[in-house]
Amino acid sequence: MRKSNDLSRCLAALEQDSTLIAVIEMGKSSWLVAGVVPGIERRPLKKLAANEGALLALLYRWRDEAKKAGHPIKRICVAYEAGRDGFWLARWLRKRKIEAYVIHSTSVCVSREHRRAKTDRLDTEHLMRAFIGWLRGETDHCRMCAIPTLEEEDGKRPSREHEHLVGERTRIINRLKSCLARLGIRDFNPASCKAPERLAKVRTPEGTPIPPNSLDELKHDMAHLRFISDQIDEVEKARLARLQKAPKKGPHAMVRLLASIHGLGIETADTLVHEVFSKNFRDRRGAPRYAGLTGSPDESGERRREKGLARAGNTRVRRSMIQLAWRFLQFQKESALVQWYYKRTADGRKDTRKTMIVALARKLMIALASDRLMA
């Protein structure tokens, strides 16, 4: 009953502010839009085709209905969950003077029952309850995503495409090696440049050539591997060309500054700048929190334990920073952070080294974020 009364008071306050609230459950072919319209007792729920024009027309119709009921609308607030549609709709609505927000999907509280009911209608109710609580100033109801510009989103594409292509190249090489190992061939490198030319001369331990179907499969995978390698080279050359063409434009200067650190290459610098250092954090410790490099304590009563990394942040940044920490041990042996790591891992235990490398990655990110803020 208390929650119901709180919600009623909140709706009454929003009605006095003349605020129209809408949440969208977005699907591939249709959108379910729920609204709270001042002056109208019913809670409208409308299913639309996935079309931004139809959504805008619906919002304007609800605004006209509120005006007829004696509540002229001064503010329209729209929210939807972060998903495959990204942020384009929020940017599109903001250009039309409508407040648009994107809610972190994992920040909305749901029932913990084993077989809880889940429908689009129920999802819109959960979103509406969380969004109304957030609008009245209780920020713990949900978390909002920072809506990037189109240029900021586009700046992330080269590093993400490079990551995808490198993963695809590794998958193809592993597939080639597995196929050769199945035939007993272990001294042949399928990733070498001359591998397709030498393939016809390869023999199995029995002294027979590679069977025709397996040979065709290997040739197809090698052709695919060459194509992927060429694409990786194109991405890397295009990135270097952009940096050389405009070295001081936008984030390019920051990329070049980070890449000048011994042990930190262009790829890692580009990922860090576009994924984390281009954001505005409250303090320098906000960067490792965003990367999920902070702990997740479990404290209740007399129980005190640590469950490990939260892993609630950007996976790409966390992976890049842990890889950078290992490289720092190799290329920055005289630095204070590396000496701190060796002092803490003097016992030689493997578990200690693995735990402390994450702590080193967190300290590295704080140091890099501090240098960025000072610059």
Side-chain angles (χ1 to χ4, degrees), residues 331-347:
F331 295 106
Q332 300 282 351
K333 296 181 180 180
E334 303 300 324
S335 68
L337 287 177
V338 172
Q339 295 301 320
W340 170 85
Y341 171 83
Y342 283 131
K343 183 178 179 181
R344 293 298 187 96
T345 57
D347 57 0

Side-chain angles (χ1 to χ4, degrees), residues 112-137:
R112 298 174 62 184
E113 295 176 331
H114 178 58
R115 291 186 177 181
R116 66 179 180 90
K118 186 182 184 306
T119 63
D120 289 344
R121 182 185 294 270
L122 292 176
D123 288 344
T124 57
E125 292 180 3
H126 292 314
L127 284 179
M128 181 65 75
R129 188 178 300 113
F131 188 38
I132 289 175
W134 186 85
L135 285 175
R136 71 187 178 202

Side-chain angles (χ1 to χ4, degrees), residues 2-163:
R2 182 179 178 181
K3 292 183 178 179
S4 178
N5 292 336
D6 290 344
L7 183 60
S8 300
R9 286 196 296 270
C10 178
L11 292 176
L14 292 172
E15 186 171 310
Q16 290 178 359
D17 293 339
S18 300
T19 303
L20 191 154
I21 306 173
V23 296
I24 313 170
E25 182 67 25
M26 303 179 70
K28 292 182 179 180
S29 58
S30 63
W31 295 345
L32 186 64
V33 186
V36 174
V37 184
I40 299 178
E41 294 184 1
R42 63 182 179 86
R43 302 281 290 274
L45 189 68
K46 183 68 175 179
K47 189 173 183 179
L48 303 173
N51 182 275
E52 63 277 12
L55 172 64
L56 190 64
L58 177 64
L59 294 176
Y60 286 164
R61 180 164 65 84
W62 286 348
R63 182 189 62 182
D64 295 339
E65 291 179 5
K67 185 177 180 180
K68 291 180 180 179
H71 294 270
I73 298 299
K74 300 178 181 178
R75 181 187 180 197
I76 301 178
C77 299
V78 180
Y80 61 93
E81 275 188 301
R84 63 185 294 273
D85 287 280
F87 304 97
W88 71 268
L89 182 60
R91 290 193 295 264
W92 188 85
L93 289 171
R94 288 186 174 186
K95 286 183 178 180
R96 284 147 184 84
K97 309 300 181 183
I98 295 175
E99 293 185 32
Y101 302 93
V102 181
I103 302 174
H104 274 288
S105 302
T106 56
S107 69
V108 180
C109 295
V110 296
S111 173
R112 298 174 62 184
E113 295 176 331
H114 178 58
R115 291 186 177 181
R116 66 179 180 90
K118 186 182 184 306
T119 63
D120 289 344
R121 182 185 294 270
L122 292 176
D123 288 344
T124 57
E125 292 180 3
H126 292 314
L127 284 179
M128 181 65 75
R129 188 178 300 113
F131 188 38
I132 289 175
W134 186 85
L135 285 175
R136 71 187 178 202
E138 299 184 20
T139 55
D140 289 338
H141 272 76
C142 60
R143 295 285 186 271
M144 296 297 175
C145 300
I147 299 176
T149 63
L150 190 60
E151 291 75 17
E152 291 173 345
E153 274 196 306
D154 190 60
K156 299 177 182 179
R157 301 319 308 169
S159 61
R160 295 191 178 189
E161 183 186 10
H162 187 273
E163 180 187 15

